[in-house]
Amino acid sequence: DIQMTQSPSSLSASLGDSVTITCRASQGISNSLAWYQQRPGRAPQPLLFAISKLKTGVPSRFSGSGSGTKFTLTISSLQSEDVATYYCHQYYGSHSFGGGTKVEIK
Amino acid sequence: QLQEAGPGLVKPSETLSLSCSVSGDSIRSSYFWGWIRQSPGKGLEWIGSVYYNGRTDYNPSLKRRIFMSVDMSKNQFSLNLTSVTAADTAIYFCVRDGRGETGFDTWGPGTQVTVSS
């Protein structure tokens, strides 16, 4: 099984700040990496797939990068509507998710 | 769009049965259709995925208790999870599974299932 480790588990930042979330895979996963945003009481919604491809309709302040086993999600200018929990997901070997990063406004 | 349906309460040792209605897309498309659950203790967990022709791909940890199927006449797919315990209490989401291309690119709103006598 491929384990996905996210960090930090939570963060607090000011509006307009740049925020970075890291996800590490226990083995190489090629480009089979997606990110999801889950607002309270809602289903997760896809943000990016294949590491850096933005899903249609997702704001361009969201970006993804990385390779091999280390990947990052960056929110370039944090907005109030970005308060949510973010999850990474590998779909290289079966499927597994990171533990989530809760993003709050300071 | 996807929409889950099923009982919110299931007794221990019984079978959990959920269905997912697909609208705005054909279940015969090139996608798989899957189930994911979320519980406080285990986070997000993929349960399995099914193709319209009946091909399935199950989470090995749940494989012996899962059955998934497709009803093309209703544009629906379903999940049966047998011998449930309190550990199966979770929010269950149905998803469109893009396989190696896009991950899970569409999610239903989710349905809470509680296992309790």
Side-chain angles (χ1 to χ4, degrees):
Chain A
D1 291 5
I2 299 175
Q3 309 300 317
M4 304 298 288
T5 304
Q6 258 182 265
S7 61
S9 57
S10 65
L11 66 87
S12 181
S14 300
L15 292 173
D17 280 355
S18 177
V19 167
T20 298
I21 298 167
T22 298
C23 189
R24 291 180 185 270
S26 58
Q27 64 186 74
I29 58 171
S30 187
N31 69 336
S32 300
L33 191 283
W35 290 95
Y36 303 88
Q37 175 192 66
Q38 186 176 31
R39 296 190 174 107
R42 307 291 295 274
Q45 294 299 312
L47 295 174
L48 301 109
F49 59 95
I51 301 177
S52 60
K53 294 183 179 180
L54 211 60
K55 183 171 169 63
T56 301
V58 173
S60 59
R61 64 180 179 273
F62 291 93
S63 63
S65 64
S67 63
T69 62
K70 182 181 177 182
F71 306 89
T72 60
L73 170 69
T74 299
I75 308 173
S76 61
S77 178
L78 189 66
Q79 304 297 306
S80 57
E81 59 264 35
D82 301 334
V83 169
T85 300
Y86 293 84
Y87 295 93
C88 60
H89 158 225
Q90 70 79 19
Y91 46 97
Y92 179 77
S94 190
H95 297 278
S96 52
F97 292 88
T101 297
K102 187 174 184 180
V103 174
E104 297 176 322
I105 303 295
K106 192 181 296 182
Chain B
Q1 288 186 334
L2 306 176
Q3 180 66 56
E4 305 87 354
L9 182 65
V10 183
K11 290 182 169 54
S13 80
E14 294 189 344
T15 296
L16 180 164
S17 296
L18 297 174
S19 64
C20 181
S21 294
V22 179
S23 59
D25 193 1
S26 171
I27 205 157
R28 295 173 182 256
S29 67
S30 59
Y31 293 93
F32 274 67
W33 305 91
W35 292 93
I36 291 168
R37 66 183 184 182
Q38 184 174 33
S39 59
K42 295 194 73 175
L44 288 164
E45 180 180 32
W46 171 69
I47 299 170
S49 299
V50 62
Y51 197 55
Y52 77 90
N53 65 359
R55 176 186 165 189
T56 55
D57 186 13
Y58 296 152
N59 185 325
S61 69
L62 298 168
K63 189 173 185 177
R64 62 182 177 86
R65 297 197 292 134
I66 299 172
F67 178 75
M68 295 179 63
S69 61
V70 170
D71 185 335
M72 287 185 281
S73 67
K74 294 181 179 179
N75 219 40
Q76 289 182 348
F77 61 103
S78 62
L79 166 70
N80 280 0
L81 179 64
T82 63
S83 305
V84 298
T85 69
D88 295 309
T89 293
I91 300 172
Y92 285 74
F93 300 99
C94 59
V95 296
R96 191 173 76 171
D97 179 357
R99 293 278 92 178
E101 299 296 322
T102 59
F104 303 122
D105 65 2
T106 306
W107 294 61
T111 187
Q112 172 71 49
V113 177
T114 301
V115 178
S116 175
S117 55

